[in-house]
Amino acid sequence: MAERTLIIIKPDAIQRHLAGEIISRFEKKGVKLVAAKFMQISEELAGQLYSVHRGKAFFEGVVKYLASAPLLVMVWEAEGVIDMARRMMGATFGYEAEAGTIRGDFGCSRGYNLVHGSDSPESAGREIKLFFSADEIVDYTLADADWLYGKND
Ligand code: IDP
Ligand code: MG
């Protein structure tokens, strides 16, 4: 069963001209883009996205960072996409993330880490609803789906 995840290309990635690079990684992996919005969000919405972190030392900083400049919010779909995208993103801090991951290849900051990805099916469901209504998520089939998702067992 295909799963969906919320991926955000964060303000630092937009300002650093890395949006295409990050999208390209998901595209080449074969994940299906089903929704996207380029927007600047309020601190209120950023706070809702990061509500599990409310009260932590970095909460205010991360909320200001997310609301400081435009970002690109997307929904990507594939079997197992939530964990797969987290592995493609790498560890939270760029200086700890493995080479080959998005954060490992393009950043060495602590808080400015280029990309957000949902961490569980529950988070994905909640986060997608913060940004998209059901009719903004596009239902379609990729022309090469049989090759991308082929199974030989
Ligand atoms: P994640 O994005 O890898 O899931 P979380 O622990 O959920 O990481 O933290 C949410 C976001 O808050 C991070 O992506 C990062 O931008 C920011 N953040 C987390 N911990 C810190 C910190 O210790 N200092 C500054 N920013 C942080
Ligand atoms: Mg998280």
Side-chain angles (χ1 to χ4, degrees), residues 17-147:
H17 317 278
L18 288 169
E21 170 68 42
I22 294 169
I23 290 170
S24 170
R25 290 190 173 213
F26 291 106
E27 246 191 328
K28 287 176 188 162
K29 179 77 173 164
V31 186
K32 183 166 74 165
L33 179 66
V34 294
K37 269 185 197 173
F38 184 67
M39 62 198 295
Q40 185 159 0
I41 64 171
S42 63
E43 289 189 13
E44 189 190 335
L45 182 52
Q48 286 176 286
L49 177 71
Y50 285 130
S51 57
V52 295
H53 298 303
R54 205 175 287 277
K56 293 184 188 164
F58 65 86
F59 178 74
E60 226 172 278
V62 75
V63 162
K64 284 202 182 331
Y65 156 51
L66 262 274
S68 65
L71 41 72
L72 183 60
V73 194
M74 301 170 290
V75 181
W76 289 86
E77 184 181 283
E79 189 177 333
V81 72
I82 294 172
D83 287 344
M84 189 164 77
R86 296 281 299 184
R87 288 194 297 275
M88 291 168 70
M89 287 160 51
T92 301
F93 305 131
Y95 56 82
E96 287 173 354
E98 294 284 344
T101 65
I102 294 165
R103 288 164 168 175
D105 284 352
F106 301 113
C108 45
S109 161
R110 184 168 176 81
Y112 282 31
N113 57 6
L114 306 165
V115 67
H116 167 83
S118 308
D119 65 6
S120 67
E122 296 69 36
S123 304
R126 187 186 75 82
E127 293 173 3
I128 289 168
K129 279 203 213 89
L130 289 175
F131 293 93
F132 297 98
S133 58
D135 65 356
E136 289 174 323
I137 301 177
V138 184
D139 184 22
Y140 69 105
T141 303
L142 285 171
D144 55 0
D146 287 347
W147 289 108

